[in-house]
Amino acid sequence: MQGNDPSYYNDYEEIDLRDIFKTINKWKHIIIAVTLICMLLSGIFSFFILEPVYEASTVVSIYQAQLSRENESTNDIADTVNELGEIPYMSALSCEQQVKSPAIMEAVIKKLQLPYTRNGLKSSIKTQQLQNTNLIIITVSNNNPELAATIANTLREEFILHINKINKKKMAQSLEIMEKEWLQKEEAELDAASEKLKEHKLQSRSIEFLNSQLGKKREDLINYQSWLAKAEIDRASQQEGIKQLQETIAHTPHTLTTVNTANGILPADLQGIDIKDGTVSSEQINMNYTSLMDAYNSKTTDLAELNVQINKTRQEITRQEKEILDLEAELIRNQIGENKLQNEVSRRESVVTLLSSKIAELKMTESINLADNNIITVSEAMVPEAPIKPNKMLNIAIAAVLGLMLATFSIFLIEYLRENGTNKSESEELKGFTGNV
């Protein structure tokens, strides 16, 4: 194993911290000199060569003005009209992307007559949207503090004009679409639907007339059914009475026989009279039987007439029921057709009303320039009092650290070369080079 091999340790050199500190102490003047020279060069560069950079910031707020909406819209047309009829709006993120658009850059350059290209001006602008807000910070960097503030304010103004121009264009397009395309189309379709409804009412019996006829037919049917019920009761009563008369007639003789004593009073050969053993027998028509038969015949005749009336009433009831069914079917057909046409007319009227309302709102919004108020200036850019760059102290501190590191690295490199048999001329050359640095 390598750990047990003595030659393994001979390939490495031990580093003594005391040697390190001795080396640093030996070269301390060089280290300090190099560090101070780096700091001096950084100070000269920061104070006299680098131009100061100033930043001016302005803040705008993005919001959307709202118009009234149909709260109870239940169809796609109303939702589309509501969306198209809204005041044009850009989100804060979209607006932030528009700040550096070429059109705005060109407008700022022309207005201020700046000696910059669009890309050159764009590189000096920063935008930031504050999280969870609709605020946008626009920051402009420039060597001239007054110019930085002027560019920032002009950029904000041109940005607002640009967004308002886009919003007005969108609003004009929405008005044109709703007024010249949708409204005219819906009005034409409303007229067509109204004409169809009128023709349907003229070509068929009205619902009011059918309801009136249906009511009369139902009333007549109820009267017929009521009379039939009473007639059924009367017929049952008459049938019972006839049955009782039949039973009474069956037990009533047609004639009555009379027996009298007639010896020596009547001649023996009297026709029609039977004289036997001194008695006289004679037959006479039974008047009770006759009256019963007369009553029976009368009731039978009445019953036959009642049956005729019942049969006619039943036929009339059947006819009335059929007519009622026909009227109900016709009424349902007319109601379905008329309701369908009426619903179409109502739907078209609601769309026309909604479109007219939205068009009026947009025209009013356009007349008062409400869309121009979607962007509000929260704060204007002020002339900065102090530059943000260069950070002189930070530059000097960084130069000091770098000089210290460079000097330390150089002296250790020189010592290493010396200890490893580097010739004296090379060491002196490196030492001179380090001193120059």
Side-chain angles (χ1 to χ4, degrees):
M1 294 179 62
Q2 292 179 345
N4 298 325
D5 187 5
S7 62
Y8 173 76
Y9 297 99
N10 296 331
D11 296 334
Y12 296 91
E13 295 182 1
E14 294 182 358
I15 298 176
D16 192 348
L17 290 178
R18 290 175 297 180
D19 293 339
I20 294 175
F21 287 115
K22 286 180 180 180
T23 302
I24 293 175
N25 184 59
K26 176 182 177 181
W27 295 87
K28 62 182 177 181
H29 298 292
I30 298 299
I31 294 174
I32 294 173
V34 171
T35 302
L36 291 176
I37 290 172
C38 290
M39 294 174 64
L40 179 61
L41 293 175
S42 175
I44 294 172
F45 191 76
S46 298
F47 280 89
F48 302 103
I49 298 177
L50 289 179
E51 293 184 5
V53 177
Y54 297 87
E55 281 189 352
S57 298
T58 180
V59 182
V60 295
S61 174
I62 313 297
Y63 87 104
Q64 181 180 16
Q66 297 285 345
L67 294 178
S68 62
R69 293 179 62 90
E70 286 290 324
N71 294 327
E72 299 180 356
S73 63
T74 57
N75 55 73
D76 294 337
I77 295 178
D79 292 338
T80 304
V81 171
N82 280 327
E83 291 177 2
L84 191 62
E86 290 180 348
I87 296 176
Y89 167 75
M90 278 191 182
S91 66
L93 180 60
S94 299
C95 288
E96 182 185 2
Q97 301 301 319
Q98 289 290 325
V99 172
K100 298 182 182 181
S101 65
I104 297 178
M105 296 295 101
E106 189 67 27
V108 173
I109 291 172
K110 288 183 178 180
K111 187 172 183 179
L112 298 179
Q113 298 181 350
L114 299 174
Y116 304 136
T117 62
R118 290 193 298 267
N119 289 332
L121 180 61
K122 182 179 179 180
S123 63
S124 66
I125 298 171
K126 294 187 298 184
T127 59
Q128 178 188 3
Q129 178 193 355
L130 296 182
Q131 190 174 6
N132 300 325
T133 69
N134 58 351
L135 299 178
I136 298 177
I137 301 176
I138 303 173
T139 304
V140 177
S141 301
N142 198 276
N143 302 124
N144 188 331
E146 290 81 6
L147 185 58
T150 302
I151 293 175
N153 289 325
T154 305
L155 178 62
R156 184 196 67 249
E157 294 170 358
E158 293 298 326
F159 165 68
I160 293 175
L161 290 175
H162 179 74
I163 298 300
N164 291 340
K165 184 179 179 181
I166 294 176
N167 289 341
K168 286 182 178 180
K169 185 177 180 180
K170 288 182 179 179
M171 186 178 293
Q173 290 175 345
S174 298
L175 272 173
E176 184 176 2
I177 292 173
M178 286 194 294
E179 191 170 16
K180 294 184 179 180
E181 295 182 14
W182 289 6
L183 183 59
Q184 292 180 359
K185 179 183 176 182
E186 290 297 330
E187 286 177 342
E189 292 181 353
L190 174 60
D191 293 339
S194 300
E195 189 64 27
K196 286 182 181 179
L197 179 60
K198 187 185 298 182
E199 291 177 359
H200 179 271
K201 289 182 177 180
L202 292 176
Q203 291 175 358
S204 60
R205 292 188 290 182
S206 67
I207 293 177
E208 292 78 10
F209 174 78
L210 291 175
N211 280 324
S212 175
Q213 291 296 312
L214 191 59
K216 291 176 62 177
K217 292 291 183 182
R218 286 172 176 167
E219 185 178 355
D220 292 342
L221 178 62
I222 292 173
N223 292 334
Y224 282 127
Q225 290 174 340
S226 177
W227 184 91
L228 180 61
K230 292 180 180 179
E232 294 284 354
I233 295 173
D234 291 342
R235 184 172 66 175
S237 177
Q238 289 184 17
Q239 288 175 345
E240 184 64 24
I242 290 173
K243 183 178 179 181
Q244 291 177 359
L245 280 174
Q246 287 176 339
E247 293 177 355
T248 303
I249 290 171
H251 294 86
T252 302
H254 294 191
T255 59
L256 295 175
T257 301
T258 304
V259 179
N260 294 316
T261 301
N263 289 334
I265 299 176
L266 296 174
D269 56 350
L270 186 62
Q271 187 177 2
I273 299 176
D274 184 16
I275 301 176
K276 186 178 180 180
D277 297 331
T279 60
V280 179
S281 299
S282 63
E283 290 184 355
Q284 298 179 353
I285 296 173
N286 190 347
M287 298 305 295
N288 288 333
Y289 179 81
T290 301
S291 62
L292 289 173
M293 287 300 297
D294 290 341
Y296 174 78
N297 292 331
S298 176
K299 287 184 176 293
T300 303
T301 301
D302 292 341
L303 180 60
E305 292 178 353
L306 182 59
N307 284 330
V308 172
Q309 291 295 325
I310 287 175
N311 290 333
K312 288 183 178 180
T313 301
R314 284 177 174 171
Q315 293 175 357
E316 185 65 24
I317 288 174
T318 302
R319 187 179 67 83
Q320 291 287 338
E321 289 176 343
K322 184 178 182 303
E323 290 182 357
I324 287 174
L325 290 175
D326 292 340
L327 283 173
E328 287 177 342
E330 183 180 0
L331 178 62
I332 290 173
R333 288 195 301 271
N334 287 357
Q335 283 179 333
I336 292 175
E338 186 170 331
N339 288 341
K340 182 179 179 180
L341 292 173
Q342 186 62 54
N343 289 338
E344 180 67 15
V345 171
S346 300
R347 189 177 70 86
R348 297 295 178 186
E349 286 177 346
S350 64
V351 173
V352 169
T353 302
L354 178 61
L355 280 171
S356 301
S357 174
K358 287 297 178 183
I359 289 171
E361 288 180 354
L362 281 178
K363 285 184 176 180
M364 180 182 65
T365 301
E366 189 177 34
S367 65
I368 62 177
N369 295 324
L370 186 59
D372 291 353
N373 298 322
N374 281 352
I375 303 178
I376 298 176
T377 300
V378 177
S379 66
E380 295 183 354
M382 306 298 291
V383 177
E385 297 179 351
I388 62 162
K389 293 188 296 184
N391 191 334
K392 301 172 184 177
M393 294 298 104
L394 178 63
N395 290 345
I396 293 173
I398 293 174
V401 173
L402 292 176
L404 181 62
M405 292 175 60
L406 178 62
T408 304
F409 173 77
S410 299
I411 63 173
F412 278 108
L413 178 61
I414 293 172
E415 290 295 329
Y416 174 78
L417 293 176
R418 283 180 176 179
E419 291 179 0
N420 284 275
T422 305
N423 58 54
K424 185 177 179 180
S425 61
E426 290 179 350
S427 296
E428 292 177 353
E429 184 179 354
L430 288 174
K431 184 178 180 180
F433 170 76
T434 303
N436 292 333
V437 173

